[in-house]
Amino acid sequence: NAGVTQTPKFRILKIGQSMTLQCTQDMNHNYMYWYRQDPGMGLKLIYYSVGAGITDKGEVPNGYNVSRSTTEDFPLRLELAAPSQTSVYFCACSKGGGLTYEQYFGPGTRLTVT
Amino acid sequence: GESVGLHLPTLSVQEGDNSIINCAYSNSASDYFIWYKQESGKGPQFIIDIRSNMDKRQGQRVTVLLNKTVKHLSLQIAATQPGDSAVYFCAEKDQGGSEKLVFGKGMKLTVNP
């Protein structure tokens, strides 16, 4: 099992450009999450999903959109990139259901907006 | 408001020493806590977790202690090895219905050979 995969690993965007960060999990987990991590900081939740067709905002959702059409995929969309969105983005998943809350993380996407 | 933070931003230890990483939390309604390790350029990896109905939990070379009275969490690493060098995060979950985790800022552990 690959776990959580993210593409691309690195990306440089110009201000105003758009892009989609891909996230796929093969763990059959219900819950999926998108975080951003700024240098020297912890993880801030952007959006999360408790199942296919259901998404909700996290702490820092402005400038981002998500969709969850399948259990496996949870893409993150940046519509008009801004320098403040320069960060490392992590996708994670968890089983859900209350037995365990452990989240499994992907390797991250490093995004630079210039 | 709810927050999870670490007392020390950096910790440097000698190989073979025991390490203690501390974490304070402010949400008295948190019922679950978890520690993650993040190596440079990688995603966070699970180390150990503990529910609020426990005071202590042990894993392989790691122990988590929870003091709900003073809202304090600690991670103890025995016989620290160079491979333990990383940034360590604590996170908490509110007892409400959401399964979201709130992460602290992290603390960098450096193990000197």
Side-chain angles (χ1 to χ4, degrees):
Chain A
N1 288 350
V4 181
T5 57
Q6 293 182 237
T7 57
K9 285 186 168 48
F10 303 94
R11 183 74 187 267
I12 298 174
L13 280 183
K14 293 190 187 305
I15 294 171
Q17 286 185 322
S18 302
M19 77 164 294
T20 299
L21 283 67
Q22 302 291 347
C23 175
T24 300
Q25 54 103 357
D26 62 1
M27 306 176 75
N28 199 31
H29 282 180
N30 291 317
Y31 286 49
M32 296 189 74
Y33 311 83
W34 273 106
Y35 294 92
R36 59 176 286 171
Q37 183 177 36
D38 297 328
M41 301 294 287
L43 299 163
K44 292 191 185 297
L45 183 65
I46 305 172
Y47 270 95
Y48 68 102
S49 168
V50 301
I54 306 169
T55 63
D56 208 346
K57 295 178 180 178
E59 183 184 356
V60 289
N62 290 345
Y64 307 94
N65 278 301
V66 293
S67 59
R68 183 98 182 268
S69 56
T70 66
T71 298
E72 296 79 18
D73 300 305
F74 190 40
L76 177 72
R77 178 84 179 159
L78 282 71
E79 289 295 348
L80 291 171
S84 60
Q85 294 178 304
T86 293
S87 191
V88 181
Y89 292 84
F90 289 100
C91 178
C93 68
S94 65
K95 194 166 188 175
L99 292 177
T100 174
Y101 304 107
E102 179 185 349
Q103 294 182 13
Y104 298 80
F105 285 82
T109 293
R110 185 175 295 274
L111 175 67
T112 302
V113 182
T114 62
Chain B
E2 299 178 13
S3 68
V4 178
L6 299 181
H7 292 305
L8 297 173
T10 60
L11 177 64
S12 185
V13 301
Q14 291 298 121
E15 182 178 358
D17 287 352
N18 296 332
S19 301
I20 299 176
I21 303 169
N22 296 305
C23 180
Y25 65 95
S26 60
N27 182 10
S28 57
S30 292
D31 64 352
Y32 173 85
F33 304 86
I34 188 168
W35 282 98
Y36 279 92
K37 173 186 179 183
Q38 186 178 26
E39 296 174 330
S40 181
K42 297 184 178 180
Q45 291 177 285
F46 170 83
I47 301 173
I48 193 168
D49 59 3
I50 188 168
R51 291 180 184 263
S52 60
N53 60 356
M54 302 173 68
D55 298 322
K56 178 180 179 179
R57 191 160 187 228
Q58 288 184 290
Q60 188 175 11
R61 283 201 306 117
V62 294
T63 301
V64 56
L65 298 176
L66 176 62
N67 185 331
K68 294 180 285 295
T69 302
V70 295
K71 299 198 200 71
H72 184 268
L73 188 71
S74 68
L75 176 70
Q76 300 178 357
I77 305 174
T80 314
Q81 303 167 359
D84 294 327
S85 293
V87 176
Y88 290 80
F89 294 96
C90 64
E92 63 177 337
K93 183 194 81 64
D94 189 276
Q95 69 181 7
S98 168
E99 296 195 9
K100 295 182 292 183
L101 297 176
V102 176
F103 284 82
K105 290 184 180 178
M107 192 213 70
K108 183 176 181 180
L109 175 66
T110 300
V111 182
N112 302 308

PDB file of all heavy atoms in Angstrom, chain A residues 4-22:
ATOM      1  N   VAL A   4      -0.633   7.590   1.603  1.00  0.00           N
ATOM      2  CA  VAL A   4      -1.095   8.871   1.093  1.00  0.00           C
ATOM      3  C   VAL A   4      -0.048   9.401   0.111  1.00  0.00           C
ATOM      4  O   VAL A   4       1.119   9.533   0.479  1.00  0.00           O
ATOM      5  CB  VAL A   4      -1.306   9.892   2.229  1.00  0.00           C
ATOM      6  CG1 VAL A   4      -1.808  11.217   1.662  1.00  0.00           C
ATOM      7  CG2 VAL A   4      -2.279   9.335   3.265  1.00  0.00           C
ATOM      8  N   THR A   5      -0.480   9.668  -1.102  1.00  0.00           N
ATOM      9  CA  THR A   5       0.434  10.214  -2.091  1.00  0.00           C
ATOM     10  C   THR A   5      -0.011  11.611  -2.488  1.00  0.00           C
ATOM     11  O   THR A   5      -1.219  11.891  -2.559  1.00  0.00           O
ATOM     12  CB  THR A   5       0.527   9.322  -3.341  1.00  0.00           C
ATOM     13  OG1 THR A   5      -0.783   9.153  -3.891  1.00  0.00           O
ATOM     14  CG2 THR A   5       1.086   7.962  -2.980  1.00  0.00           C
ATOM     15  N   GLN A   6       0.965  12.460  -2.757  1.00  0.00           N
ATOM     16  CA  GLN A   6       0.686  13.836  -3.155  1.00  0.00           C
ATOM     17  C   GLN A   6       1.508  14.183  -4.389  1.00  0.00           C
ATOM     18  O   GLN A   6       2.676  13.807  -4.490  1.00  0.00           O
ATOM     19  CB  GLN A   6       1.065  14.821  -2.039  1.00  0.00           C
ATOM     20  CG  GLN A   6       0.224  14.713  -0.784  1.00  0.00           C
ATOM     21  CD  GLN A   6       0.626  15.755   0.242  1.00  0.00           C
ATOM     22  OE1 GLN A   6       0.977  15.438   1.367  1.00  0.00           O
ATOM     23  NE2 GLN A   6       0.562  17.023  -0.151  1.00  0.00           N
ATOM     24  N   THR A   7       0.882  14.901  -5.296  1.00  0.00           N
ATOM     25  CA  THR A   7       1.592  15.434  -6.454  1.00  0.00           C
ATOM     26  C   THR A   7       1.146  16.855  -6.714  1.00  0.00           C
ATOM     27  O   THR A   7      -0.014  17.201  -6.449  1.00  0.00           O
ATOM     28  CB  THR A   7       1.329  14.589  -7.730  1.00  0.00           C
ATOM     29  OG1 THR A   7      -0.080  14.540  -7.965  1.00  0.00           O
ATOM     30  CG2 THR A   7       1.903  13.198  -7.586  1.00  0.00           C
ATOM     31  N   PRO A   8       2.052  17.732  -7.218  1.00  0.00           N
ATOM     32  CA  PRO A   8       3.472  17.481  -7.411  1.00  0.00           C
ATOM     33  C   PRO A   8       4.238  17.592  -6.098  1.00  0.00           C
ATOM     34  O   PRO A   8       3.673  17.947  -5.071  1.00  0.00           O
ATOM     35  CB  PRO A   8       3.869  18.611  -8.365  1.00  0.00           C
ATOM     36  CG  PRO A   8       2.981  19.744  -7.968  1.00  0.00           C
ATOM     37  CD  PRO A   8       1.670  19.113  -7.590  1.00  0.00           C
ATOM     38  N   LYS A   9       5.525  17.318  -6.114  1.00  0.00           N
ATOM     39  CA  LYS A   9       6.367  17.497  -4.934  1.00  0.00           C
ATOM     40  C   LYS A   9       6.762  18.958  -4.763  1.00  0.00           C
ATOM     41  O   LYS A   9       6.872  19.462  -3.649  1.00  0.00           O
ATOM     42  CB  LYS A   9       7.616  16.630  -5.041  1.00  0.00           C
ATOM     43  CG  LYS A   9       7.386  15.159  -4.795  1.00  0.00           C
ATOM     44  CD  LYS A   9       8.694  14.388  -4.766  1.00  0.00           C
ATOM     45  CE  LYS A   9       8.521  12.973  -4.234  1.00  0.00           C
ATOM     46  NZ  LYS A   9       7.416  12.245  -4.831  1.00  0.00           N
ATOM     47  N   PHE A  10       7.002  19.612  -5.874  1.00  0.00           N
ATOM     48  CA  PHE A  10       7.405  21.015  -5.863  1.00  0.00           C
ATOM     49  C   PHE A  10       6.644  21.741  -6.968  1.00  0.00           C
ATOM     50  O   PHE A  10       6.339  21.153  -8.011  1.00  0.00           O
ATOM     51  CB  PHE A  10       8.909  21.185  -6.120  1.00  0.00           C
ATOM     52  CG  PHE A  10       9.789  20.450  -5.172  1.00  0.00           C
ATOM     53  CD1 PHE A  10      10.248  19.176  -5.488  1.00  0.00           C
ATOM     54  CD2 PHE A  10      10.167  21.017  -3.983  1.00  0.00           C
ATOM     55  CE1 PHE A  10      11.068  18.490  -4.615  1.00  0.00           C
ATOM     56  CE2 PHE A  10      10.989  20.339  -3.108  1.00  0.00           C
ATOM     57  CZ  PHE A  10      11.449  19.063  -3.412  1.00  0.00           C
ATOM     58  N   ARG A  11       6.390  23.051  -6.733  1.00  0.00           N
ATOM     59  CA  ARG A  11       5.769  23.842  -7.791  1.00  0.00           C
ATOM     60  C   ARG A  11       6.054  25.301  -7.507  1.00  0.00           C
ATOM     61  O   ARG A  11       6.016  25.762  -6.355  1.00  0.00           O
ATOM     62  CB  ARG A  11       4.259  23.610  -7.820  1.00  0.00           C
ATOM     63  CG  ARG A  11       3.532  24.325  -8.938  1.00  0.00           C
ATOM     64  CD  ARG A  11       3.758  23.688 -10.291  1.00  0.00           C
ATOM     65  NE  ARG A  11       3.183  24.488 -11.362  1.00  0.00           N
ATOM     66  CZ  ARG A  11       1.968  24.309 -11.856  1.00  0.00           C
ATOM     67  NH1 ARG A  11       1.190  23.350 -11.387  1.00  0.00           N
ATOM     68  NH2 ARG A  11       1.531  25.088 -12.812  1.00  0.00           N
ATOM     69  N   ILE A  12       6.355  26.031  -8.598  1.00  0.00           N
ATOM     70  CA  ILE A  12       6.504  27.479  -8.516  1.00  0.00           C
ATOM     71  C   ILE A  12       5.395  28.102  -9.343  1.00  0.00           C
ATOM     72  O   ILE A  12       5.233  27.754 -10.522  1.00  0.00           O
ATOM     73  CB  ILE A  12       7.881  27.940  -9.024  1.00  0.00           C
ATOM     74  CG1 ILE A  12       8.989  27.332  -8.160  1.00  0.00           C
ATOM     75  CG2 ILE A  12       7.973  29.457  -9.014  1.00  0.00           C
ATOM     76  CD1 ILE A  12      10.390  27.622  -8.665  1.00  0.00           C
ATOM     77  N   LEU A  13       4.635  28.991  -8.746  1.00  0.00           N
ATOM     78  CA  LEU A  13       3.531  29.655  -9.430  1.00  0.00           C
ATOM     79  C   LEU A  13       3.784  31.160  -9.483  1.00  0.00           C
ATOM     80  O   LEU A  13       4.407  31.719  -8.573  1.00  0.00           O
ATOM     81  CB  LEU A  13       2.216  29.442  -8.677  1.00  0.00           C
ATOM     82  CG  LEU A  13       1.448  28.141  -8.825  1.00  0.00           C
ATOM     83  CD1 LEU A  13       0.153  28.228  -8.028  1.00  0.00           C
ATOM     84  CD2 LEU A  13       1.146  27.840 -10.279  1.00  0.00           C
ATOM     85  N   LYS A  14       3.278  31.781 -10.508  1.00  0.00           N
ATOM     86  CA  LYS A  14       3.279  33.238 -10.553  1.00  0.00           C
ATOM     87  C   LYS A  14       1.994  33.731  -9.889  1.00  0.00           C
ATOM     88  O   LYS A  14       0.963  33.039  -9.870  1.00  0.00           O
ATOM     89  CB  LYS A  14       3.351  33.722 -11.991  1.00  0.00           C
ATOM     90  CG  LYS A  14       4.662  33.398 -12.683  1.00  0.00           C
ATOM     91  CD  LYS A  14       4.767  34.120 -14.004  1.00  0.00           C
ATOM     92  CE  LYS A  14       5.979  33.689 -14.806  1.00  0.00           C
ATOM     93  NZ  LYS A  14       7.235  33.825 -14.056  1.00  0.00           N
ATOM     94  N   ILE A  15       2.044  34.922  -9.362  1.00  0.00           N
ATOM     95  CA  ILE A  15       0.876  35.535  -8.727  1.00  0.00           C
ATOM     96  C   ILE A  15      -0.295  35.532  -9.707  1.00  0.00           C
ATOM     97  O   ILE A  15      -0.140  35.913 -10.875  1.00  0.00           O
ATOM     98  CB  ILE A  15       1.194  36.968  -8.273  1.00  0.00           C
ATOM     99  CG1 ILE A  15       2.250  36.945  -7.165  1.00  0.00           C
ATOM    100  CG2 ILE A  15      -0.063  37.676  -7.783  1.00  0.00           C
ATOM    101  CD1 ILE A  15       2.777  38.320  -6.796  1.00  0.00           C
ATOM    102  N   GLY A  16      -1.441  35.087  -9.233  1.00  0.00           N
ATOM    103  CA  GLY A  16      -2.632  35.076 -10.065  1.00  0.00           C
ATOM    104  C   GLY A  16      -2.883  33.772 -10.797  1.00  0.00           C
ATOM    105  O   GLY A  16      -3.995  33.547 -11.300  1.00  0.00           O
ATOM    106  N   GLN A  17      -1.870  32.893 -10.856  1.00  0.00           N
ATOM    107  CA  GLN A  17      -2.072  31.612 -11.517  1.00  0.00           C
ATOM    108  C   GLN A  17      -2.901  30.680 -10.629  1.00  0.00           C
ATOM    109  O   GLN A  17      -3.063  30.922  -9.425  1.00  0.00           O
ATOM    110  CB  GLN A  17      -0.728  30.956 -11.838  1.00  0.00           C
ATOM    111  CG  GLN A  17      -0.004  31.599 -13.002  1.00  0.00           C
ATOM    112  CD  GLN A  17       1.268  30.851 -13.370  1.00  0.00           C
ATOM    113  OE1 GLN A  17       1.998  30.359 -12.524  1.00  0.00           O
ATOM    114  NE2 GLN A  17       1.536  30.788 -14.683  1.00  0.00           N
ATOM    115  N   SER A  18      -3.386  29.610 -11.247  1.00  0.00           N
ATOM    116  CA  SER A  18      -4.176  28.616 -10.522  1.00  0.00           C
ATOM    117  C   SER A  18      -3.490  27.259 -10.610  1.00  0.00           C
ATOM    118  O   SER A  18      -2.716  27.002 -11.541  1.00  0.00           O
ATOM    119  CB  SER A  18      -5.579  28.510 -11.112  1.00  0.00           C
ATOM    120  OG  SER A  18      -6.234  29.752 -11.076  1.00  0.00           O
ATOM    121  N   MET A  19      -3.788  26.422  -9.653  1.00  0.00           N
ATOM    122  CA  MET A  19      -3.283  25.061  -9.718  1.00  0.00           C
ATOM    123  C   MET A  19      -4.088  24.172  -8.778  1.00  0.00           C
ATOM    124  O   MET A  19      -4.797  24.672  -7.878  1.00  0.00           O
ATOM    125  CB  MET A  19      -1.812  24.970  -9.354  1.00  0.00           C
ATOM    126  CG  MET A  19      -1.495  25.050  -7.891  1.00  0.00           C
ATOM    127  SD  MET A  19       0.179  24.494  -7.498  1.00  0.00           S
ATOM    128  CE  MET A  19       0.112  22.758  -7.906  1.00  0.00           C
ATOM    129  N   THR A  20      -3.967  22.872  -9.011  1.00  0.00           N
ATOM    130  CA  THR A  20      -4.595  21.875  -8.150  1.00  0.00           C
ATOM    131  C   THR A  20      -3.533  20.978  -7.567  1.00  0.00           C
ATOM    132  O   THR A  20      -2.707  20.428  -8.301  1.00  0.00           O
ATOM    133  CB  THR A  20      -5.615  21.036  -8.935  1.00  0.00           C
ATOM    134  OG1 THR A  20      -6.639  21.892  -9.452  1.00  0.00           O
ATOM    135  CG2 THR A  20      -6.253  19.984  -8.040  1.00  0.00           C
ATOM    136  N   LEU A  21      -3.560  20.843  -6.262  1.00  0.00           N
ATOM    137  CA  LEU A  21      -2.693  19.900  -5.574  1.00  0.00           C
ATOM    138  C   LEU A  21      -3.467  18.591  -5.419  1.00  0.00           C
ATOM    139  O   LEU A  21      -4.592  18.589  -4.909  1.00  0.00           O
ATOM    140  CB  LEU A  21      -2.288  20.419  -4.188  1.00  0.00           C
ATOM    141  CG  LEU A  21      -1.202  21.494  -4.108  1.00  0.00           C
ATOM    142  CD1 LEU A  21      -1.686  22.810  -4.705  1.00  0.00           C
ATOM    143  CD2 LEU A  21      -0.798  21.705  -2.655  1.00  0.00           C
ATOM    144  N   GLN A  22      -2.828  17.513  -5.864  1.00  0.00           N
ATOM    145  CA  GLN A  22      -3.517  16.230  -5.840  1.00  0.00           C
ATOM    146  C   GLN A  22      -3.163  15.449  -4.579  1.00  0.00           C
ATOM    147  O   GLN A  22      -2.037  15.489  -4.098  1.00  0.00           O
ATOM    148  CB  GLN A  22      -3.145  15.410  -7.071  1.00  0.00           C
ATOM    149  CG  GLN A  22      -3.461  16.075  -8.396  1.00  0.00           C
ATOM    150  CD  GLN A  22      -4.955  16.177  -8.655  1.00  0.00           C
ATOM    151  OE1 GLN A  22      -5.774  15.558  -7.988  1.00  0.00           O
ATOM    152  NE2 GLN A  22      -5.316  16.990  -9.648  1.00  0.00           N
TER     153      GLN A  22
END
